[in-house]
């Protein structure tokens, strides 16, 4: 199917997988067929193709506006470490990198709903003493919420640097502890918790945790979340619906959804493992503090699950919008801004 023919599809394309219960994979309302793309749409898709994208989905108010796929870049050896073949639907299975953090944030929220997790409790409540290299008193002051907001006060070797809750440091090795916390709180393996609490209720039949190759595990997070653009869109639709699955079942409480997107003290552009637009300044990894919001061209209420190599999930409540991008790293350093400049012209 060529690029133009796939621009507007029926929302049943996101249903996928007859292997999951009908209620979980219930299709969204069908979209009208559009045969002639606008110049703005053509410009957006051409830009995404040039930027090494493999998938791009846009859903507005339950209507699939775009569901586009491109071949994986054959010469990108690093990207090959993030791919795991294809799903039965033909969609590429990709490790979405740090986008997984936002999925874990939802699992932590569900654990709170179930009375299994207290984010105000010390991490040692769930993992025992000695999980870090801080002193016992310093370690006891590090709460679960400090892990979820990237303000543990630890460096990447788990050594004490600053009081917990005072400094934002995007710390992937320490973040990985959050997966252990959720599993310990639930007294079940993370894979079981993820399936029972999240992927099965949402019909995300192509999503699972996978052991990463040694080259990727060395960053301090040895399991990757492998999924498809369609499954990520289902997850985004749940976020847009304030914690409801497509069949109306409650997955996460409204209270915990609200808490997940509260701006953290150390970085107003960050909540609980989610990036937030609309702040006066942003603390970015490797860049530090810069004035203005995360993506100036995007609506201020945008929330985002961001992964390395420009894996993206954007959710915009004011536009009733879910946007997913998968693929290799974009060559444009201003990728997010450029996507939104073009997308806003498409949306009118």
């Amino acid at each position: 199917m060529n690029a133009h023919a796939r621009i507007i599809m029926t929302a049943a394309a996101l249903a996928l997988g007859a292997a999951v219960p009908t209620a979980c994979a219930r299709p969204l309302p069908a979209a009208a067929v559009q045969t002639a793309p606008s110049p703005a749409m053509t410009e957006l898709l051409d830009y995404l193709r040039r930027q090494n994208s493999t998938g791009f989905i846009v859903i507005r108010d339950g209507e699939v506006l775009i569901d586009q796929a491109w071949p994986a870049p054959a010469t990108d050896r690093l990207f090959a470490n993030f791919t795991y073949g294809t799903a039965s639907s033909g969609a590429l299975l990709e490790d979405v990198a740090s986008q997984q953090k936002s999925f874990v944030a939802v699992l932590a929220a569900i654990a709170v709903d179930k009375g299994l997790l207290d984010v105000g409790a010390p991490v040692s409540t769930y993992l025992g003493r000695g999980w870090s290299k801080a002193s016992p008193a310093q370690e006891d002051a590090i709460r679960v919420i400090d892990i979820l907001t990237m303000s543990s006060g630890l460096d990447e070797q788990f050594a004490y640097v600053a009081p917990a809750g005072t400094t934002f440091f995007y710390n992937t090795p320490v973040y990985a502890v959050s997966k252990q916390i959720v599993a310990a709180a639930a007294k079940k393996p993370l894979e079981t918790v993820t399936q029972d609490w999240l992927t099965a209720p949402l019909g995300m039949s192509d999503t699972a945790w996978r052991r990463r190759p040694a080259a990727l595990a060395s960053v301090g997070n040895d399991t990757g979340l492998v999924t498809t653009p369609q499954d990520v869109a289902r997850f985004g639709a749940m976020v847009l619906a304030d914690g409801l699955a497509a069949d109306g079942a409650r997955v996460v409480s409204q209270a915990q959804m609200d808490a997940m997107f509260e701006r953290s003290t150390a970085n107003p552009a960050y909540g609980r493992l989610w990036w937030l637009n609309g702040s006066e300044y942003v603390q970015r990894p490797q860049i530090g503090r810069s004035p203005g919001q995360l993506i100036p061209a995007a609506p201020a209420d945008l929330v985002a699950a961001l992964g390395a190599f420009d894996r993206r999930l954007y959710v915009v409540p004011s536009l009733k919008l879910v946007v997913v991008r998968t693929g290799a790293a974009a060559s444009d350093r201003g990728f997010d801004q450029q996507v939104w400049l073009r997308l806003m012209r498409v949306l009118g």
Side-chain angles (χ1 to χ4, degrees):
M1 186 178 294
N2 63 36
H4 291 168
R6 294 190 61 183
I7 291 171
I8 300 288
M9 303 181 66
T10 63
L14 288 185
L16 293 182
V20 296
T22 302
C24 293
R26 188 175 67 178
L28 297 168
V33 175
Q34 176 176 309
T35 57
S38 66
M41 181 75 80
T42 300
E43 181 186 6
L44 170 64
L45 292 177
D46 285 349
Y47 176 77
L48 288 162
R49 175 183 53 79
R50 294 195 307 270
Q51 297 300 317
N52 303 315
S53 303
T54 57
F56 191 71
I57 293 175
V58 178
I59 305 171
R60 182 171 61 181
D61 199 14
E63 180 181 295
V64 180
L65 301 183
I66 304 172
D67 183 4
Q68 178 62 48
W70 296 271
T75 59
D76 192 324
R77 294 184 179 180
L78 182 59
F79 178 71
N81 287 320
F82 284 87
T83 60
Y84 291 77
T86 57
S88 59
S89 65
L92 190 64
L93 289 163
E94 298 182 31
D95 176 343
V96 291
S98 284
Q99 200 176 91
Q100 66 165 261
K101 293 179 171 73
S102 300
F103 287 77
V104 172
V106 170
L107 294 176
I110 297 171
V112 173
D113 282 337
K114 292 180 177 292
L116 302 173
L117 180 65
D118 176 3
V119 298
V123 173
S124 55
T125 303
Y126 304 96
L127 301 186
R129 289 274 182 84
W131 63 271
S132 76
K133 295 178 182 177
S135 70
Q138 292 166 344
E139 186 178 271
D140 284 347
I142 304 172
R143 305 161 299 163
V144 175
I145 188 64
D146 299 319
I147 303 293
L148 298 178
T149 56
M150 294 287 183
S151 57
S152 67
L154 303 176
D155 66 15
E156 291 179 329
Q157 287 72 47
F158 289 76
Y160 178 85
V161 175
T166 64
T167 305
F168 179 84
F169 174 54
Y170 193 82
N171 191 331
T172 290
V174 171
Y175 144 75
V177 168
S178 66
K179 295 191 282 190
Q180 300 175 34
I181 293 170
V182 170
K187 296 182 172 58
K188 294 179 181 178
L190 182 67
E191 294 81 358
T192 302
V193 170
T194 303
Q195 181 175 3
D196 291 350
W197 294 0
L198 190 61
T199 59
L202 297 183
M204 298 168 61
S205 58
D206 293 319
T207 301
W209 294 100
R210 302 279 191 96
R211 186 68 57 180
R212 283 175 162 167
L216 301 181
S218 63
V219 302
N221 185 23
D222 61 0
T223 54
L225 189 70
V226 176
T227 186
T228 64
Q230 290 77 15
D231 270 9
V232 176
R234 292 190 181 96
F235 176 72
M238 182 275 295
V239 173
L240 183 64
D242 291 325
L244 297 178
D247 63 358
R250 174 64 65 182
V251 177
V252 190
S253 71
Q254 182 69 65
Q256 283 305 304
M257 291 296 296
D258 292 343
M260 200 161 54
F261 300 124
E262 290 178 357
R263 299 186 187 278
S264 62
T265 302
N267 184 1
Y270 206 72
R272 298 184 185 182
L273 301 177
W274 281 85
W275 288 94
L276 312 175
N277 212 27
S279 59
E280 294 183 1
Y281 69 90
V282 181
Q283 291 273 10
R284 289 182 173 88
Q286 289 86 50
I287 296 176
R289 177 168 171 161
S290 58
Q293 61 182 18
L294 184 69
I295 308 173
D301 64 331
L302 173 146
V303 300
L306 305 181
F309 312 115
D310 304 300
R311 280 66 181 260
R312 299 293 188 251
L313 167 63
Y314 311 110
V315 179
V316 185
S318 62
L319 298 180
K320 301 181 180 179
L321 196 71
V322 174
V323 181
V324 177
R325 186 269 181 184
T326 55
S331 58
D332 192 340
R333 293 186 64 182
F335 178 74
D336 291 290
Q337 176 73 351
Q338 292 303 316
V339 166
W340 276 95
L341 286 171
R342 290 163 172 80
L343 181 56
M344 292 301 288
R345 287 196 287 268
V346 171
L347 298 175

